[in-house]
Amino acid sequence: MAGLSAVLLKDLKLELRSGQSTIALVALSLLILVVLVFALGNEGVRGPEGAAGALWVALVFAGTVGATKALLAEGENGCLRGLVISPVDRATLFAAKMMAAAIFMAIAEIAAVALMVLFFNLEFDARLARIVPILALGIVGFAALATLLAAVSGRTRAADLLMPILAVPMFVPALIAGVKASAGVLAGRPLSGLQAWLGILVAFDIIFVVSGYLLFEQVARED
Amino acid sequence: MSQVPVRLRGLAKSYGLKPVLRSVELEIAPGGCVVIVGDNGCGKSTLLRTIAGLSRPSGGEALLFGEEAWRLAGPMRQRVGVLSHQSFLYPNLTARENLEFYGRLYGVPKVGAAAGRWLERMGLAAVSRARVGTFSRGMEQRLALARAMLAAPEVLVLDEPFSALDGEGTTLAVALIKEAVAQRTAVAMSTHGRPPLSGFEFKTLRLVAGVLKPAALDEAGREAVTGARTGLAGSVDGGTVGGFAQRPEA
């Protein structure tokens, strides 16, 4: 636990100092929402499904940038190597990096939800509270997947290109489930009526977290 | 501890089809110091990375305390200090924050006080609150040395420890290595030429074509005596070297 908290607190301190990831994520989320609002145009399309789609597109792109930045920051001065040969086991390192990415994504998502309400003419009401667990599941799953893939792609010269190519297709099933569940909630349906979609999200969270936990050691080590 | 801290058995390392290390044999006992010299690109850093567990051997074994270095368990890693070409320091953290962070990872007790002592020792106390990104290369190297030695490791792997250091820094680094050897730390280090070590026994080996050979260097760092044996480099125990040229004083 000492290793996990040391790495996580170090990441948060670095982020507070530079603000690089959070600013990039919030700006990217804003840009995506603005583009989609103008692209969707009339009020009919800009309903719950449009809002949910915009929110999850923002989540995926923000998560891709956030996880890549969180891990690439370790590339400076070979810091990732310093962590890999430290007494902290690699699974704990994965957990710390995943939690840092999830926190950065959550901050971006808070901003994205506020902007979604404004741009899509929604209300700040109970429906927003019900979307929180859905987004939380999405954030955990995507943070786990993106952290693992950032470690893979970080070993190549085309890290920025490789990351979305790998991450987005693998996340598609969870993305569909997240969009459907979010749209249902924004349309006023209770969470109990969306169990099938939530089940898919939970299943993919388990797959991504367990895969990352088991594979990070292999990925982080040099050949 | 009965286990030999560093033992290489038939160690080989290739990148693709290109062999870098071929059947390297080496043992370093507690209090032993081995200096590996060689030309640029001869594989010194690869050898030290493999000893440190950063790289997996293509053949043979690199053992630390009797376990394979590349999959050494977390608690065992507490006993190994590594200085690489890269400093492993975060540019956006201060010198003190960097040492405290690594101190926590390595379970150093009273980490704040320990970091303070090391900053004082390395002549960096005045800049302890400055971010490492503002440091000169020499200052960063001093801090990286402190990071590697912070947890009083039983094995020290030092890749070019005198790189970028000025005269004072080099004297300081030599004193630290000498202290570590006196405390029975096993030291494996590399330099381009003649190591500026003095006051204790160490063994110099030259890496040629992926094989360690015994070497005695003249004042200019050239090989004065060329070892004829290849492969087996014998063992080092507190400077007691069997069968190879050794220099009690540099």
Side-chain angles (χ1 to χ4, degrees):
Chain A
M1 280 304 288
L4 188 142
S5 64
V7 176
L8 181 58
L9 288 174
K10 180 267 300 170
D11 278 354
L12 296 179
K13 185 181 281 184
L14 283 172
E15 182 55 29
L16 275 175
R17 209 159 271 178
S18 71
Q20 278 186 333
S21 295
T22 315
I23 291 170
L25 301 194
V26 172
L28 188 62
S29 299
L30 174 64
L31 183 67
I32 290 166
L33 285 166
V34 169
V35 168
L36 285 175
V37 164
F38 281 101
L40 292 173
N42 64 59
E43 294 291 322
V45 180
R46 280 164 55 182
E49 293 204 340
L55 198 58
W56 279 79
V57 169
L59 183 144
V60 166
F61 281 97
T64 305
V65 173
T68 307
K69 278 190 174 292
L71 217 67
L72 288 186
E74 300 289 356
E76 280 189 288
N77 290 341
C79 291
L80 186 58
R81 288 179 179 168
L83 292 181
V84 166
I85 59 166
S86 77
V88 179
D89 69 82
R90 277 90 176 201
T92 304
L93 281 181
F94 169 76
K97 303 306 291 183
M98 188 200 92
M99 287 165 74
I103 290 171
F104 302 152
M105 284 177 69
I107 293 168
E109 279 308 293
I110 290 168
V113 168
L115 292 168
M116 177 194 72
V117 171
L118 296 174
F119 289 165
F120 285 83
N121 299 322
L122 300 173
E123 298 291 330
F124 284 100
D125 56 19
R127 287 179 299 176
L128 289 182
R130 288 203 297 271
I131 208 172
V132 170
I134 300 168
L135 286 178
L137 286 172
I139 286 170
V140 168
F142 197 78
L145 175 67
T147 299
L148 179 64
L149 294 180
V152 175
S153 60
R155 298 174 58 159
T156 70
R157 289 178 190 169
D160 289 341
L161 178 68
L162 196 58
M163 174 70 176
I165 290 175
L166 293 173
V168 175
M170 293 175 79
F171 195 67
V172 162
L175 181 65
I176 293 168
V179 170
K180 291 291 185 187
S182 301
V185 161
L186 290 175
R189 292 173 64 190
L191 281 172
S192 56
L194 301 163
Q195 281 178 351
W197 298 121
L198 292 174
I200 293 173
L201 271 175
V202 170
F204 273 88
D205 276 10
I206 292 169
I207 290 169
F208 294 144
V209 172
V210 172
S211 302
Y213 193 81
L214 295 176
L215 295 176
F216 193 74
E217 176 169 359
Q218 308 299 324
V219 169
R221 190 191 299 125
E222 287 184 30
D223 287 329
Chain B
M1 190 74 191
S2 59
Q3 288 283 8
V4 176
V6 179
R7 174 175 286 159
L8 310 182
R9 286 199 297 226
L11 178 68
K13 179 71 185 176
S14 303
Y15 289 112
L17 294 175
K18 186 187 173 192
V20 179
L21 303 173
R22 308 161 193 258
S23 193
V24 174
E25 304 273 343
L26 178 70
E27 281 187 13
I28 310 177
C33 177
V34 166
V35 181
I36 296 156
V37 298
D39 300 330
N40 288 337
C42 71
K44 299 189 297 292
S45 295
T46 299
L47 175 57
L48 292 179
R49 273 208 308 271
T50 310
I51 294 173
L54 271 167
S55 189
R56 184 178 176 175
S58 308
E61 288 179 318
L63 305 174
L64 290 175
F65 311 107
E67 292 186 21
E68 286 193 274
W70 67 275
R71 51 180 175 195
L72 201 62
M76 297 288 275
R77 295 212 153 273
Q78 228 159 347
R79 301 161 68 184
V80 184
V82 179
L83 175 74
S84 160
H85 274 301
Q86 293 173 303
S87 67
F88 301 166
L89 298 169
Y90 293 89
N92 275 329
L93 293 184
T94 68
R96 174 177 281 278
E97 287 169 343
N98 266 292
L99 287 190
E100 288 181 352
F101 169 64
Y102 278 103
R104 286 190 192 98
L105 293 191
Y106 280 79
V108 174
K110 295 178 183 169
V111 69
R117 277 197 305 277
W118 274 101
L119 288 165
E120 193 75 45
R121 180 84 200 270
M122 304 309 288
L124 296 171
V127 289
S128 64
R129 291 178 189 280
R131 292 190 194 185
V132 168
T134 65
F135 278 17
S136 70
R137 182 70 189 94
M139 291 161 75
E140 193 173 332
Q141 183 76 349
R142 286 186 187 211
L143 190 62
L145 264 169
R147 178 196 52 71
M149 297 183 166
L150 185 64
E154 293 168 52
V155 170
L156 257 180
V157 181
L158 307 172
D159 194 359
E160 304 279 359
F162 310 110
S163 163
L165 292 179
D166 56 14
E168 187 192 336
T170 301
T171 307
L172 185 59
V174 170
L176 289 171
I177 294 167
K178 189 177 168 184
E179 271 177 32
V181 169
Q183 289 162 8
R184 303 202 38 86
T185 297
V187 179
M189 57 181 279
S190 69
T191 64
H192 276 304
R194 179 175 174 270
L197 301 175
S198 63
F200 67 101
E201 293 187 348
F202 60 92
K203 177 179 176 182
T204 308
L205 299 171
R206 177 170 288 277
L207 189 59
V208 182
V211 176
L212 278 178
K213 297 180 177 181
L217 307 178
D218 65 15
E219 290 299 311
R222 292 184 297 263
E223 227 170 302
V225 179
T226 304
R229 288 168 61 179
T230 58
L232 187 65
S235 69
V236 183
D237 185 356
T240 306
V241 183
F244 297 101
Q246 59 176 313
R247 299 186 308 122
E249 297 259 338

